[in-house]
Amino acid sequence: MAELVFVSGNRAGQRIAVSTPRAVIGRHPACDVVLDISSVSRQHAAVTIEGDDVFIEDLRSRNGTTVNGQRLTARQRLSDGDEVVICDQCLRFQDAEHFDATILSAEPRTDEADMVEADISDSHIVSQLDMRGLSGDAPAGPQSEAHLRAVVGLRRALGGSLSLDEVLPRMLDGLFGIFAQAERGFVLLIDPKSQRLVLRASRFKNGPEPGALRLSLSLLDNVVKTKRAILSADAASDSRFDSSHSIVDCQIRSVMCVPVIRSDGDVLGVVHVDSRDPRSRFEQSDLQVLAGIAGDAAQVIGRAVAHDERIGQEQLKRDLELAHRVQQGLLPTRPPAIDGYDVFDFYESAQHVGGDFFAYVPLAGGALATVMADVCGKGVSAALMMASLSGDVRYCLASEPDAAVAVARINDAFLRSGWDDRFATMIAAVLEPRSGRVTLVNAGHLPALIRNPHGKVREVGAEAAGLPLGVDTGANYVSCTEVLGPGETLILFTDGITEAMDHEHRCYGTERLTRVLEDEVKTAEDLGRRILADVDRHAAGQIRSDDICLICLRRWPA
């Protein structure tokens, strides 16, 4: 089975089997290989299998796909070792005849040699030790003193360290002090998301090796799956390796690899130590010492993992709180004071930050533009789009007297921002306070509503609605005009209101909103609070899935 192996980024070492006739790579969740990166197109590239050949093609993506540094212009056959780059993600193709070498390097490999594996055999495995149920107590026998010294040295090395970035290097330093023949040492931990081994710490006696790092996946996988520590006396002549390939260059003569197992039996990762010197091979007693150390280290590593997760969650919480404050700074702090009018507004994000947006933009001649937008998605990505949109909205409306032309300029600016296949809906209402004239421009947003003093409600501007922002370059928008009479109220809202769900997954809907607007009200705030209370009654404690934004602008009665 052929594979694509990530060779850079936070997914380095992760493997993707190429087994289906056609696999699509892209940002959309429905893709076979999902790259959740804004610069990656929704459907970026496709890998297809035809007989014994594997091909890759670019699906007319925005930023393109390269193979070995050459941008794809047509479908291309992949050969073993080809490097495929999609934006900042580098993947190496490995055909079915070659060993799935784990590539654990921050930089793409430049050499062509791969580790090769033949049929797995235990002919040169000198010893295996079952780690299940193994305690950290010193074993009886001649190695008990050595094990005790190792444990004491390890605990001194670790000291009060809490973070993995401190624990793992110190542990490797301790191992090199115990095993004088060790030339390379690695700690690999299982990533909870991908369930793949990821290199977290390494140590070299004679300095880092040139080029990318190569490790035997079959050995590592065997240790993880069987939960057994393995000692190989002569890895270079082990029948699992083909001596005609790069393993000979590595000249690894002796390997110890042990699993790190939690008290509940789950494997956290592995510790790997090897040597090239044929005169200084590891012995059975060394494996017992390393296995005992791994048993003790499991508790320390488990605590460090929990500590790092807690720190990460706290940092994320602080970042989200900061993002929330920044976003609130982009929104109006209070409704504008307009002679002859009262205004109510409300904004609440479903998460710490959201994608709904509203603004009041003073214009020439005393006019006021009220803008509401809803960018696709939720969370941080939507908030970033909202922040970018807010600046364009204010600039374009303030500098362009024609509201429809201003919205077209906002659309062009949105497309230039590089949000790829993202979009936003928006509605702008320019009010001339003295006459009550309202000029509406709708870019794919929900229609505005106007309520008269007697509770009658009508939709306005639906027939003139254009495309959402970010859909088409050079899109044209048209405006429509309404007059807000005495006692009438203009209502703008996002779909967080109409699509609020009850416990039976029924939407709140426009009809129910219209019925609420029919009741008698005295102020814009009274009307807005009544709408929000009714939405809360409908949702009845259900978790809110979308942001809510509401503006009520009411002209005083004559």
PDB file of all heavy atoms in Angstrom, residues 66-94:
ATOM      1  N   THR A  66       2.851  21.716  -5.902  1.00  0.00           N
ATOM      2  CA  THR A  66       4.137  21.442  -6.537  1.00  0.00           C
ATOM      3  C   THR A  66       4.566  20.020  -6.238  1.00  0.00           C
ATOM      4  O   THR A  66       4.270  19.469  -5.175  1.00  0.00           O
ATOM      5  CB  THR A  66       5.229  22.416  -6.063  1.00  0.00           C
ATOM      6  OG1 THR A  66       5.475  22.204  -4.661  1.00  0.00           O
ATOM      7  CG2 THR A  66       4.811  23.859  -6.287  1.00  0.00           C
ATOM      8  N   VAL A  67       5.293  19.423  -7.186  1.00  0.00           N
ATOM      9  CA  VAL A  67       5.917  18.116  -7.020  1.00  0.00           C
ATOM     10  C   VAL A  67       7.401  18.283  -7.312  1.00  0.00           C
ATOM     11  O   VAL A  67       7.776  18.705  -8.419  1.00  0.00           O
ATOM     12  CB  VAL A  67       5.296  17.063  -7.958  1.00  0.00           C
ATOM     13  CG1 VAL A  67       6.033  15.733  -7.823  1.00  0.00           C
ATOM     14  CG2 VAL A  67       3.816  16.873  -7.643  1.00  0.00           C
ATOM     15  N   ASN A  68       8.217  18.025  -6.285  1.00  0.00           N
ATOM     16  CA  ASN A  68       9.676  18.206  -6.402  1.00  0.00           C
ATOM     17  C   ASN A  68      10.026  19.620  -6.873  1.00  0.00           C
ATOM     18  O   ASN A  68      10.926  19.833  -7.686  1.00  0.00           O
ATOM     19  CB  ASN A  68      10.277  17.171  -7.348  1.00  0.00           C
ATOM     20  CG  ASN A  68      10.078  15.754  -6.852  1.00  0.00           C
ATOM     21  OD1 ASN A  68      10.041  15.506  -5.647  1.00  0.00           O
ATOM     22  ND2 ASN A  68       9.924  14.816  -7.770  1.00  0.00           N
ATOM     23  N   GLY A  69       9.288  20.593  -6.371  1.00  0.00           N
ATOM     24  CA  GLY A  69       9.571  21.991  -6.660  1.00  0.00           C
ATOM     25  C   GLY A  69       8.959  22.530  -7.931  1.00  0.00           C
ATOM     26  O   GLY A  69       9.064  23.726  -8.195  1.00  0.00           O
ATOM     27  N   GLN A  70       8.302  21.677  -8.734  1.00  0.00           N
ATOM     28  CA  GLN A  70       7.702  22.119  -9.980  1.00  0.00           C
ATOM     29  C   GLN A  70       6.184  22.201  -9.821  1.00  0.00           C
ATOM     30  O   GLN A  70       5.548  21.238  -9.385  1.00  0.00           O
ATOM     31  CB  GLN A  70       8.052  21.145 -11.122  1.00  0.00           C
ATOM     32  CG  GLN A  70       9.538  21.041 -11.402  1.00  0.00           C
ATOM     33  CD  GLN A  70      10.132  22.350 -11.888  1.00  0.00           C
ATOM     34  OE1 GLN A  70       9.535  23.042 -12.713  1.00  0.00           O
ATOM     35  NE2 GLN A  70      11.320  22.683 -11.387  1.00  0.00           N
ATOM     36  N   ARG A  71       5.627  23.367 -10.176  1.00  0.00           N
ATOM     37  CA  ARG A  71       4.187  23.558 -10.036  1.00  0.00           C
ATOM     38  C   ARG A  71       3.438  22.670 -11.032  1.00  0.00           C
ATOM     39  O   ARG A  71       3.805  22.573 -12.209  1.00  0.00           O
ATOM     40  CB  ARG A  71       3.823  25.029 -10.276  1.00  0.00           C
ATOM     41  CG  ARG A  71       2.376  25.360  -9.917  1.00  0.00           C
ATOM     42  CD  ARG A  71       2.098  26.831 -10.145  1.00  0.00           C
ATOM     43  NE  ARG A  71       0.721  27.165  -9.828  1.00  0.00           N
ATOM     44  CZ  ARG A  71       0.342  27.907  -8.808  1.00  0.00           C
ATOM     45  NH1 ARG A  71       1.251  28.402  -8.003  1.00  0.00           N
ATOM     46  NH2 ARG A  71      -0.923  28.180  -8.599  1.00  0.00           N
ATOM     47  N   LEU A  72       2.381  22.019 -10.547  1.00  0.00           N
ATOM     48  CA  LEU A  72       1.587  21.136 -11.394  1.00  0.00           C
ATOM     49  C   LEU A  72       0.732  21.942 -12.361  1.00  0.00           C
ATOM     50  O   LEU A  72       0.031  22.875 -11.972  1.00  0.00           O
ATOM     51  CB  LEU A  72       0.669  20.257 -10.539  1.00  0.00           C
ATOM     52  CG  LEU A  72       1.284  19.046  -9.829  1.00  0.00           C
ATOM     53  CD1 LEU A  72       0.214  18.322  -9.037  1.00  0.00           C
ATOM     54  CD2 LEU A  72       1.928  18.105 -10.820  1.00  0.00           C
ATOM     55  N   THR A  73       0.812  21.562 -13.628  1.00  0.00           N
ATOM     56  CA  THR A  73      -0.066  22.141 -14.644  1.00  0.00           C
ATOM     57  C   THR A  73      -0.954  21.075 -15.275  1.00  0.00           C
ATOM     58  O   THR A  73      -1.877  21.389 -16.011  1.00  0.00           O
ATOM     59  CB  THR A  73       0.755  22.827 -15.749  1.00  0.00           C
ATOM     60  OG1 THR A  73       1.662  21.878 -16.313  1.00  0.00           O
ATOM     61  CG2 THR A  73       1.547  23.996 -15.172  1.00  0.00           C
ATOM     62  N   ALA A  74      -0.630  19.816 -15.014  1.00  0.00           N
ATOM     63  CA  ALA A  74      -1.416  18.691 -15.515  1.00  0.00           C
ATOM     64  C   ALA A  74      -1.239  17.528 -14.556  1.00  0.00           C
ATOM     65  O   ALA A  74      -0.402  17.577 -13.640  1.00  0.00           O
ATOM     66  CB  ALA A  74      -0.970  18.306 -16.930  1.00  0.00           C
ATOM     67  N   ARG A  75      -2.000  16.483 -14.762  1.00  0.00           N
ATOM     68  CA  ARG A  75      -1.883  15.302 -13.912  1.00  0.00           C
ATOM     69  C   ARG A  75      -0.496  14.688 -14.065  1.00  0.00           C
ATOM     70  O   ARG A  75       0.032  14.612 -15.167  1.00  0.00           O
ATOM     71  CB  ARG A  75      -2.954  14.277 -14.292  1.00  0.00           C
ATOM     72  CG  ARG A  75      -3.108  13.178 -13.263  1.00  0.00           C
ATOM     73  CD  ARG A  75      -4.270  12.278 -13.592  1.00  0.00           C
ATOM     74  NE  ARG A  75      -3.974  11.418 -14.741  1.00  0.00           N
ATOM     75  CZ  ARG A  75      -4.469  10.204 -14.886  1.00  0.00           C
ATOM     76  NH1 ARG A  75      -5.301   9.716 -13.997  1.00  0.00           N
ATOM     77  NH2 ARG A  75      -4.171   9.481 -15.949  1.00  0.00           N
ATOM     78  N   GLN A  76       0.091  14.243 -12.934  1.00  0.00           N
ATOM     79  CA  GLN A  76       1.457  13.731 -12.956  1.00  0.00           C
ATOM     80  C   GLN A  76       1.542  12.428 -12.169  1.00  0.00           C
ATOM     81  O   GLN A  76       0.958  12.297 -11.093  1.00  0.00           O
ATOM     82  CB  GLN A  76       2.426  14.760 -12.375  1.00  0.00           C
ATOM     83  CG  GLN A  76       3.880  14.305 -12.342  1.00  0.00           C
ATOM     84  CD  GLN A  76       4.813  15.419 -11.910  1.00  0.00           C
ATOM     85  OE1 GLN A  76       4.608  16.586 -12.251  1.00  0.00           O
ATOM     86  NE2 GLN A  76       5.850  15.077 -11.169  1.00  0.00           N
ATOM     87  N   ARG A  77       2.298  11.481 -12.715  1.00  0.00           N
ATOM     88  CA  ARG A  77       2.519  10.214 -12.023  1.00  0.00           C
ATOM     89  C   ARG A  77       3.531  10.409 -10.899  1.00  0.00           C
ATOM     90  O   ARG A  77       4.544  11.090 -11.064  1.00  0.00           O
ATOM     91  CB  ARG A  77       3.028   9.157 -12.994  1.00  0.00           C
ATOM     92  CG  ARG A  77       3.291   7.794 -12.361  1.00  0.00           C
ATOM     93  CD  ARG A  77       3.813   6.815 -13.388  1.00  0.00           C
ATOM     94  NE  ARG A  77       4.168   5.553 -12.779  1.00  0.00           N
ATOM     95  CZ  ARG A  77       5.354   5.280 -12.224  1.00  0.00           C
ATOM     96  NH1 ARG A  77       6.300   6.231 -12.225  1.00  0.00           N
ATOM     97  NH2 ARG A  77       5.593   4.111 -11.684  1.00  0.00           N
ATOM     98  N   LEU A  78       3.245   9.821  -9.743  1.00  0.00           N
ATOM     99  CA  LEU A  78       4.131   9.927  -8.593  1.00  0.00           C
ATOM    100  C   LEU A  78       5.092   8.752  -8.553  1.00  0.00           C
ATOM    101  O   LEU A  78       4.701   7.602  -8.803  1.00  0.00           O
ATOM    102  CB  LEU A  78       3.327   9.976  -7.288  1.00  0.00           C
ATOM    103  CG  LEU A  78       2.549  11.261  -7.016  1.00  0.00           C
ATOM    104  CD1 LEU A  78       1.672  11.109  -5.773  1.00  0.00           C
ATOM    105  CD2 LEU A  78       3.489  12.447  -6.845  1.00  0.00           C
ATOM    106  N   SER A  79       6.346   9.043  -8.251  1.00  0.00           N
ATOM    107  CA  SER A  79       7.364   8.010  -8.064  1.00  0.00           C
ATOM    108  C   SER A  79       7.805   8.021  -6.609  1.00  0.00           C
ATOM    109  O   SER A  79       7.660   9.025  -5.900  1.00  0.00           O
ATOM    110  CB  SER A  79       8.571   8.268  -8.981  1.00  0.00           C
ATOM    111  OG  SER A  79       8.178   8.266 -10.342  1.00  0.00           O
ATOM    112  N   ASP A  80       8.383   6.902  -6.170  1.00  0.00           N
ATOM    113  CA  ASP A  80       8.807   6.810  -4.776  1.00  0.00           C
ATOM    114  C   ASP A  80       9.790   7.926  -4.446  1.00  0.00           C
ATOM    115  O   ASP A  80      10.756   8.172  -5.179  1.00  0.00           O
ATOM    116  CB  ASP A  80       9.470   5.459  -4.517  1.00  0.00           C
ATOM    117  CG  ASP A  80       9.879   5.308  -3.072  1.00  0.00           C
ATOM    118  OD1 ASP A  80       8.988   5.220  -2.209  1.00  0.00           O
ATOM    119  OD2 ASP A  80      11.096   5.314  -2.796  1.00  0.00           O
ATOM    120  N   GLY A  81       9.538   8.619  -3.338  1.00  0.00           N
ATOM    121  CA  GLY A  81      10.404   9.705  -2.896  1.00  0.00           C
ATOM    122  C   GLY A  81       9.990  11.079  -3.372  1.00  0.00           C
ATOM    123  O   GLY A  81      10.572  12.075  -2.924  1.00  0.00           O
ATOM    124  N   ASP A  82       9.001  11.159  -4.272  1.00  0.00           N
ATOM    125  CA  ASP A  82       8.535  12.476  -4.723  1.00  0.00           C
ATOM    126  C   ASP A  82       7.991  13.276  -3.546  1.00  0.00           C
ATOM    127  O   ASP A  82       7.303  12.731  -2.668  1.00  0.00           O
ATOM    128  CB  ASP A  82       7.434  12.322  -5.781  1.00  0.00           C
ATOM    129  CG  ASP A  82       7.995  11.973  -7.150  1.00  0.00           C
ATOM    130  OD1 ASP A  82       9.219  12.057  -7.317  1.00  0.00           O
ATOM    131  OD2 ASP A  82       7.195  11.618  -8.050  1.00  0.00           O
ATOM    132  N   GLU A  83       8.295  14.576  -3.539  1.00  0.00           N
ATOM    133  CA  GLU A  83       7.809  15.460  -2.480  1.00  0.00           C
ATOM    134  C   GLU A  83       6.712  16.357  -3.032  1.00  0.00           C
ATOM    135  O   GLU A  83       6.923  17.096  -3.998  1.00  0.00           O
ATOM    136  CB  GLU A  83       8.948  16.291  -1.899  1.00  0.00           C
ATOM    137  CG  GLU A  83       9.913  15.457  -1.065  1.00  0.00           C
ATOM    138  CD  GLU A  83      10.931  16.305  -0.338  1.00  0.00           C
ATOM    139  OE1 GLU A  83      11.018  17.508  -0.644  1.00  0.00           O
ATOM    140  OE2 GLU A  83      11.639  15.762   0.535  1.00  0.00           O
ATOM    141  N   VAL A  84       5.558  16.285  -2.408  1.00  0.00           N
ATOM    142  CA  VAL A  84       4.393  17.064  -2.799  1.00  0.00           C
ATOM    143  C   VAL A  84       4.224  18.191  -1.782  1.00  0.00           C
ATOM    144  O   VAL A  84       4.167  17.933  -0.574  1.00  0.00           O
ATOM    145  CB  VAL A  84       3.126  16.184  -2.828  1.00  0.00           C
ATOM    146  CG1 VAL A  84       1.902  17.026  -3.178  1.00  0.00           C
ATOM    147  CG2 VAL A  84       3.300  15.043  -3.817  1.00  0.00           C
ATOM    148  N   VAL A  85       4.159  19.430  -2.262  1.00  0.00           N
ATOM    149  CA  VAL A  85       4.003  20.584  -1.373  1.00  0.00           C
ATOM    150  C   VAL A  85       2.678  21.263  -1.684  1.00  0.00           C
ATOM    151  O   VAL A  85       2.416  21.664  -2.825  1.00  0.00           O
ATOM    152  CB  VAL A  85       5.168  21.586  -1.522  1.00  0.00           C
ATOM    153  CG1 VAL A  85       4.914  22.819  -0.657  1.00  0.00           C
ATOM    154  CG2 VAL A  85       6.488  20.917  -1.134  1.00  0.00           C
ATOM    155  N   ILE A  86       1.828  21.359  -0.659  1.00  0.00           N
ATOM    156  CA  ILE A  86       0.558  22.072  -0.744  1.00  0.00           C
ATOM    157  C   ILE A  86       0.616  23.200   0.274  1.00  0.00           C
ATOM    158  O   ILE A  86       0.571  22.958   1.483  1.00  0.00           O
ATOM    159  CB  ILE A  86      -0.634  21.131  -0.474  1.00  0.00           C
ATOM    160  CG1 ILE A  86      -0.702  20.043  -1.549  1.00  0.00           C
ATOM    161  CG2 ILE A  86      -1.937  21.900  -0.402  1.00  0.00           C
ATOM    162  CD1 ILE A  86      -1.788  19.018  -1.312  1.00  0.00           C
ATOM    163  N   CYS A  87       0.762  24.420  -0.231  1.00  0.00           N
ATOM    164  CA  CYS A  87       0.986  25.592   0.639  1.00  0.00           C
ATOM    165  C   CYS A  87       2.217  25.319   1.503  1.00  0.00           C
ATOM    166  O   CYS A  87       3.286  25.113   0.976  1.00  0.00           O
ATOM    167  CB  CYS A  87      -0.280  25.900   1.432  1.00  0.00           C
ATOM    168  SG  CYS A  87      -1.668  26.350   0.343  1.00  0.00           S
ATOM    169  N   ASP A  88       2.089  25.266   2.833  1.00  0.00           N
ATOM    170  CA  ASP A  88       3.270  25.029   3.653  1.00  0.00           C
ATOM    171  C   ASP A  88       3.352  23.593   4.147  1.00  0.00           C
ATOM    172  O   ASP A  88       4.160  23.277   5.024  1.00  0.00           O
ATOM    173  CB  ASP A  88       3.283  25.983   4.852  1.00  0.00           C
ATOM    174  CG  ASP A  88       2.087  25.774   5.772  1.00  0.00           C
ATOM    175  OD1 ASP A  88       1.139  25.082   5.361  1.00  0.00           O
ATOM    176  OD2 ASP A  88       2.096  26.317   6.895  1.00  0.00           O
ATOM    177  N   GLN A  89       2.556  22.701   3.569  1.00  0.00           N
ATOM    178  CA  GLN A  89       2.564  21.298   3.968  1.00  0.00           C
ATOM    179  C   GLN A  89       3.349  20.470   2.949  1.00  0.00           C
ATOM    180  O   GLN A  89       3.029  20.467   1.760  1.00  0.00           O
ATOM    181  CB  GLN A  89       1.135  20.758   4.068  1.00  0.00           C
ATOM    182  CG  GLN A  89       0.280  21.491   5.094  1.00  0.00           C
ATOM    183  CD  GLN A  89       0.792  21.302   6.506  1.00  0.00           C
ATOM    184  OE1 GLN A  89       0.861  20.177   7.018  1.00  0.00           O
ATOM    185  NE2 GLN A  89       1.147  22.399   7.159  1.00  0.00           N
ATOM    186  N   CYS A  90       4.381  19.778   3.419  1.00  0.00           N
ATOM    187  CA  CYS A  90       5.209  18.952   2.558  1.00  0.00           C
ATOM    188  C   CYS A  90       4.948  17.478   2.868  1.00  0.00           C
ATOM    189  O   CYS A  90       5.021  17.059   4.032  1.00  0.00           O
ATOM    190  CB  CYS A  90       6.689  19.279   2.759  1.00  0.00           C
ATOM    191  SG  CYS A  90       7.791  18.319   1.671  1.00  0.00           S
ATOM    192  N   LEU A  91       4.625  16.698   1.824  1.00  0.00           N
ATOM    193  CA  LEU A  91       4.363  15.276   1.977  1.00  0.00           C
ATOM    194  C   LEU A  91       5.269  14.490   1.029  1.00  0.00           C
ATOM    195  O   LEU A  91       5.475  14.908  -0.111  1.00  0.00           O
ATOM    196  CB  LEU A  91       2.896  14.927   1.669  1.00  0.00           C
ATOM    197  CG  LEU A  91       1.825  15.628   2.501  1.00  0.00           C
ATOM    198  CD1 LEU A  91       1.319  16.873   1.783  1.00  0.00           C
ATOM    199  CD2 LEU A  91       0.654  14.685   2.763  1.00  0.00           C
ATOM    200  N   ARG A  92       5.811  13.379   1.505  1.00  0.00           N
ATOM    201  CA  ARG A  92       6.658  12.526   0.672  1.00  0.00           C
ATOM    202  C   ARG A  92       5.854  11.286   0.271  1.00  0.00           C
ATOM    203  O   ARG A  92       5.235  10.628   1.114  1.00  0.00           O
ATOM    204  CB  ARG A  92       7.917  12.109   1.423  1.00  0.00           C
ATOM    205  CG  ARG A  92       8.787  11.107   0.632  1.00  0.00           C
ATOM    206  CD  ARG A  92      10.009  10.723   1.439  1.00  0.00           C
ATOM    207  NE  ARG A  92      10.980  11.803   1.472  1.00  0.00           N
ATOM    208  CZ  ARG A  92      11.986  11.929   0.610  1.00  0.00           C
ATOM    209  NH1 ARG A  92      12.135  11.069  -0.362  1.00  0.00           N
ATOM    210  NH2 ARG A  92      12.832  12.933   0.710  1.00  0.00           N
ATOM    211  N   PHE A  93       5.885  10.987  -1.036  1.00  0.00           N
ATOM    212  CA  PHE A  93       5.192   9.802  -1.544  1.00  0.00           C
ATOM    213  C   PHE A  93       6.103   8.590  -1.431  1.00  0.00           C
ATOM    214  O   PHE A  93       7.274   8.647  -1.805  1.00  0.00           O
ATOM    215  CB  PHE A  93       4.778   9.997  -2.998  1.00  0.00           C
ATOM    216  CG  PHE A  93       4.158   8.775  -3.623  1.00  0.00           C
ATOM    217  CD1 PHE A  93       2.863   8.393  -3.276  1.00  0.00           C
ATOM    218  CD2 PHE A  93       4.867   8.005  -4.526  1.00  0.00           C
ATOM    219  CE1 PHE A  93       2.295   7.265  -3.833  1.00  0.00           C
ATOM    220  CE2 PHE A  93       4.303   6.884  -5.091  1.00  0.00           C
ATOM    221  CZ  PHE A  93       3.011   6.504  -4.745  1.00  0.00           C
ATOM    222  N   GLN A  94       5.563   7.477  -0.907  1.00  0.00           N
ATOM    223  CA  GLN A  94       6.308   6.230  -0.802  1.00  0.00           C
ATOM    224  C   GLN A  94       5.471   5.125  -1.425  1.00  0.00           C
ATOM    225  O   GLN A  94       4.324   4.912  -1.021  1.00  0.00           O
ATOM    226  CB  GLN A  94       6.624   5.898   0.657  1.00  0.00           C
ATOM    227  CG  GLN A  94       7.591   6.895   1.297  1.00  0.00           C
ATOM    228  CD  GLN A  94       7.914   6.572   2.737  1.00  0.00           C
ATOM    229  OE1 GLN A  94       7.075   6.045   3.452  1.00  0.00           O
ATOM    230  NE2 GLN A  94       9.119   6.886   3.158  1.00  0.00           N
TER     231      GLN A  94
END
